Amino acid sequence: MAAPSLLNWRRVSSFTGPVPRARHGHRAVAIRELMIIFGGGNEGIADELHVYNTVTNQWFLPAVRGDIPPGCAAHGFVCDGTRILVFGGMVEYGRYSNELYELQASRWLWKKVKPHPPSSGLPPCPRLGHSFSLYGNKCYLFGGLANESEDSNNNVPRYLNDFYELELQHGSGVVGWSIPVTKGIVPSPRESHTAVIYCKKDSGSPKMYVFGGMCGARLDDLWQLDLETMSWSKPETKGTVPLPRSLHTASVIGNKMYIFGGWVPHKGENIETSPHDCEWRCTSSFSYLNLDTAEWTTLVSDSQEDKKNSRPRPRAGHCAVAIGTRLYFWSGRDGYKKALNSQVCCKDLWYLDTEKPPAPSQVQLIKATTNSFHVKWDEVPTVEGYLLQLNTDLPYQAASSDSSAAPNMQGVRMDPHRQGSNSTIPNSVSDNSAKTEHTALKGTSVKNRPDLKTSSDSNATLHSSLAANASNHNSCVVDVLRKNEGPHTSAYIGVLSSCLDLRTVVPETSVSSSVSSAQTMVTQQTIKTESSSTNGAVVKDETSLTTFSTKSEVDETCALPATKISRVEAHATAMPFSKETPSNPVATMKAGERQWCDVGIFKNNTALVSQFYLLPKGKQSISKIGNADVPDYSLLKKQDLVPGTGYRFRVAAINGCGIGPFSKISEFKTCIPGFPGAPSAVRISKNVEGIHLSWEPPTSPSGNILEYSAYLAIRTAQIQDNPSQLVFMRIYCGLKTSCIVTAGQLANAHIDYTSRPAIVFRISAKNEKGYGPATQVRWLQGS
């Protein structure tokens, strides 16, 4: 973590949509990139559900339905996948709740749930200021504040330290409450404390950590509950313990528990001697506890002044949400004077990156031309940009081609000695695509999929009124779920930067091949839809899924119709085919021996590369962002890409902490002029004979198309021994842009499990010069 003076707080200043009114006592959770806020109060208790999309900077009010709960404050609020549970809280002054509600965020459907009471003892009493923490299929309730009086106008506070366990049913509903028997000394009664649950990755049982709170005075004690043995303990810590506080937030990122803000005693005050006049104050102090070493680290001390408004001002009763390694803070009260009985709520939204971003996926090829590449990589959450670099010191020799053989074109040649390269299998195709397929575009359709998880390769979106914005001038969204067609199946066209050795073929079948050229264009918005969901969050939904878009900026060559189309993923592949193995000793050089050149810094996870920058001799590329030495690209010389040349790419993500590690290296080759592009707009639909496979001609045929070939990955003993190597059989050759794949042929198909189960097809076109790149299609088969 950066030193305190180097913390890079960012205030979100530009956003759209209905911004919720400032408040305190609200709660927030995250579903992927969405921050979901409920409750709180400021001149009345709020009962709306607000959602903030951290990618698009949009606020929206989802149209909720069902058993909508009353507004509440200081309640329990946890997220289990895409369902949210709300327990207790203050529903009006002096009246607290012990009711439990569940929100299915995939449908914005509220439901009041009634858990069974404990087998011995009473269920939790109405309360506020309790902690409500989730681990596995259980929620853990601790402490809070109850009203002893029957009359809500006569508030008689009672601090609690009872402990309950709530068992959840899978997907929806709850089982019931239980009262675990615990060992050791129980923490003292308290409210407005925090509780987080953490489990070491390698070993150890999950532990709940309770910090601070209020019991008539602010507390600074730390308690640990082992959830396996149900043993309470008070761990010894090192470092400076934060001031006693309540109404603070605690968030776990990695192995650290971050404590921010809260109410702290005023310096020098004595609560016992002046209970009526004392003045509580808010703090902006910021610390973390390393949960592995039990050491406190102060990042912003309570005494540090902020004259430049470079970080959030002091506050309490705010909310904090961790999205990736980024912490978001919103609203809260900034002070409270008992004597004046007045408070002011903050309206600001801040975030802080707590560590450098992880390495992105390998750079993947979308399209190659003779002098450019269109590339992409998987998004990294909560980053501000990406640094893309290439290496030009890897010369490639043009391999000979034979237009009468199987699809034949120059492509990417990877060092056979490097891990992940292809080996040649006699009478088969050696296929590395499975190893990289999970990094290709993974957007897919889902129809009545109760098993749909909130993974990065789902494409469901939360039902909301959120409209999608085009992210930049060269982006479009593949709007496969079109108006009035309902939640049918869908597909995205993506690109796979794989490397195949196609020098040997299956007799009588032939084998597909391609170059590092792909005419199938996939744009940034498509990528965002599948990996970071600009239109909402990817969520689980047992019934139907809807994609929202104000504008269908669809490249028709990539859109697959929703009606009667099976679940498909399509990729344009980049593969070599040659009669001879190109020999180049430079190819085996280590990456460190070559100088990397900057292509540039990109806001989104796609780039059109036609040039790169030449750094002055002896200069290295960017090492830091911010006040560091960032090259002025306008002063640097640019070098154009040239045809038939190999380039190596790597990419690193950038956030407020700087540049993260670089990705693994990818290798691509610019095209040699004259070969056709890849077929596009692949469609698959079922019929009585099997399936109907169709496609559109290449957008760049480079002459007359003489024939098309379609191939099917088939089961072989070699695939069983090595699932990462696919063997293809030609199932069609002709001038038509469609073919029937029979049930008998499909019975021979290999089911590829490298990401989601799929049958793999490849389709390529041939002109006078030979075969061009193949479009790879993964026909998804369900779980």
Side-chain angles (χ1 to χ4, degrees), residues 14 18 24 62 73 130 140 144 196 215 254 274 282 298 310 331 344 371 374 404 409 465 525 625 645 739 745 752:
S14 59
H24 61 95
H130 46 284
Y140 298 93
V196 302
C215 63
S274 56
C282 293
T298 301
S310 59
S331 202
V344 178
N371 57 4
H374 187 187
S404 64
M409 187 55 191
S465 58
Q525 191 69 27
I625 295 293
T645 304
C739 67
Q745 290 171 323
D752 178 31

Side-chain angles (χ1 to χ4, degrees), residues 235-269:
E236 292 186 8
T237 61
K238 297 171 282 187
T240 303
V241 178
L243 285 175
R245 67 192 61 212
S246 64
L247 293 170
H248 53 287
T249 54
S251 309
V252 174
I253 296 178
N255 65 347
K256 299 178 179 67
M257 176 178 74
Y258 291 90
I259 302 292
F260 176 74
W263 262 354
V264 295
H266 198 275
K267 294 175 183 177
E269 80 174 337

Side-chain angles (χ1 to χ4, degrees), residues 109-129:
L109 178 64
W110 282 105
K111 182 174 71 173
K112 187 176 182 180
V113 290
K114 296 181 179 179
H116 294 299
S119 56
S120 61
L122 297 173
C125 65
R127 65 188 66 203
L128 62 72

